[in-house]
Amino acid sequence: MYLSSSWFGKTIYDSFYNAIVPDKRYLAYIEGLKVTLLISFFAIILGILIGVIVAILKVTATNYKMKWLSKICNIYINVIRGTPLMVQLLIIYNLIFTSRNTNELLVGAVCFGINSGAYVAEIIRSGIESIDRGQMEAGRSLGLNYVTTMRLIILPQAVRNILPALGNEFITLIKETSVASVIAITDLTKAAQYIGSRTWDILPPLIIVALFYLILVMGLSKLLSVFERRMAKSDRS
Amino acid sequence: MIEVKNLKKAFGDHLVLDGIDETIAKGEKVVVIGPSGSGKSTFLRCLNLLEEPSDGEIWFEGNKITDKVVNINQIRQKMGMVFQQFNLFPHLTVLENITLAPTKLGIMTKEEANEKAMELLAKIGLTEKASSYPGKLSGGQKQRIAIIRALAMNPAVMLFDEPTSALDPEMVGEVLELMTSLAEDGLTMVVVTHEMGFAKKVATRVLFMDEGKIVEQNTPVEFFDNPKHPRLQEFLSKVL
């Protein structure tokens, strides 16, 4: 034990101090956090939208025996789930947005949204299929049309069943946005790398952003569990 | 009111309904009985097109509802249906269960629907359950609420698909009692059931189905006391 604990403590303190305070480096984290939150938020919204639509199309296609429709849905789901997210990100970035003044943030949000949509679609489909057939029949027998019955009777019950799985998907999404840096988006992870390259000490900024992610995810989990409890108020016997 | 012509329904190669011709007049209480697999539930479910007929015609109040151009949702508003498994909406309160369809379809305002629902709940003595969720109710209560949920639409005819088959024996009585009182009020009813007592007491006509066909039909007295078809004689000797 040649290293005294006070020396050790001071070194750690210094590295973290350097990673945060000089040149207002903390601003870089805040900016990165904003970008991560923005991408996650819009990707989640887009993912839910795509997911609900694809899931309903797929279920409807099965109910009404429209083979071509379920084929299209399956191609989308298989391609997205069968290829790495980073590759999708690079392809979309280089394929569509090749002009100089590309809005990388938009590309990121759209790409993550399309990606998440495939997973959300499968989760929602399983949720819809978990609801007893009698519920649709009861709705239809009262004169409600297919879409209204889906919206007012099937989906609310399906969502309650799949909330935990949906929460997992959103948590995964938030963490996966960390690969956004490959298309020159300065998100939280990129901010850490940037600061590390300035201080020649990559570990402290990485630990700092890891904490940011952890807090984000724990916040989201908390939010979801509150939501779950509220939805469970009409628990079945 | 309902006219069925040469109705056929096949699931794959299996012919469940094999050419049914039947006319149900306003005010009639028709009870359909028969062994399991005879097609009686499928027949009932074809009447409001929950099952799509493979062949034949169904007419309701002068409309050929098997025609693709007919808006089946509008037809169904006039044909209430009660299921074996109740099928109440578990995420909605009892009151919301009853008022959902009338309000969403623009038939009643929220106030009118609530008033009507409370009136119906009072009739079955369950007003205090208005804000409960279905999960908290007994089977008999659930089925009686399912019945008034259908009634809230002011249907011209009510279809009952084995309404007491999923109930504990002690709860069958309260459901049959409600159905009897509806019959006495003059409602047109088509009931698929195994409750022979109900058929005897309430029916104006009893149909016996076997292997996708109506093999015998008669007034309840004649039907039970003097069955003619050997298949019906055999069936009655087993269930009575």
Side-chain angles (χ1 to χ4, degrees), chain B residues 64-191:
Chain B
K64 186 179 169 190
I65 64 173
T66 37
D67 221 331
K68 287 272 183 242
V69 293
V70 169
N71 183 350
I72 188 60
N73 296 318
Q74 265 168 15
I75 301 289
R76 283 183 181 141
Q77 294 175 20
K78 295 267 126 224
M79 303 174 108
M81 186 160 204
V82 176
F83 301 87
Q84 188 177 349
Q85 299 296 338
F86 330 131
N87 294 342
L88 290 180
F89 308 132
H91 63 301
L92 300 177
T93 64
V94 166
L95 190 66
E96 289 165 340
N97 260 280
I98 302 168
T99 57
L100 179 82
T103 52
K104 291 294 166 190
L105 292 168
I107 295 168
M108 298 177 198
T109 65
K110 191 133 188 110
E111 292 71 37
E112 287 168 349
N114 282 344
E115 201 178 307
K116 170 107 187 171
M118 292 311 289
E119 210 175 276
L120 287 163
L121 280 170
K123 188 176 171 182
I124 60 170
L126 289 176
T127 36
E128 80 278 13
K129 299 287 183 193
S131 50
S132 304
Y133 285 93
K136 303 264 188 281
L137 304 174
S138 75
Q141 290 172 334
K142 281 185 200 169
Q143 191 60 301
R144 286 187 290 145
I145 284 161
I147 292 172
I148 62 166
R149 176 176 72 178
L151 281 179
M153 297 288 296
N154 293 320
V157 56
M158 284 277 279
L159 313 174
F160 294 84
D161 187 6
E162 302 198 24
T164 56
S165 296
L167 292 173
D168 289 342
E170 56 191 309
M171 295 177 177
V172 170
E174 58 190 75
V175 172
L176 292 181
E177 207 174 295
L178 172 60
M179 288 168 64
T180 308
S181 85
L182 295 178
E184 283 163 0
D185 292 346
L187 189 68
T188 313
M189 294 162 69
V190 184
V191 186

Side-chain angles (χ1 to χ4, degrees), chain B residues 7-19:
Chain B
L7 175 65
K8 285 184 183 166
K9 172 70 185 176
F11 292 108
D13 290 338
H14 182 52
L15 196 60
V16 182
L17 295 180
D18 187 6

Side-chain angles (χ1 to χ4, degrees), chain A residues 135 137 140 152 157 234 237, chain B residues 45 73 76 88 91 133 135:
Chain A
Q135 292 290 309
E137 290 181 350
R140 298 303 308 274
L152 297 175
Q157 296 182 60
S234 59
S237 59
Chain B
R45 291 161 56 86
N73 296 318
R76 283 183 181 141
L88 290 180
H91 63 301
Y133 285 93

Side-chain angles (χ1 to χ4, degrees), chain A residues 19-20 23-34 186-188 190-192 194-195:
Chain A
I20 299 170
D23 301 332
K24 293 192 173 162
R25 281 179 188 140
Y26 52 86
L27 286 179
Y29 298 109
I30 304 294
E31 283 305 308
L33 179 66
K34 266 195 222 161
T186 315
D187 72 327
L188 207 44
K190 190 73 185 172
Y194 164 76
I195 291 167

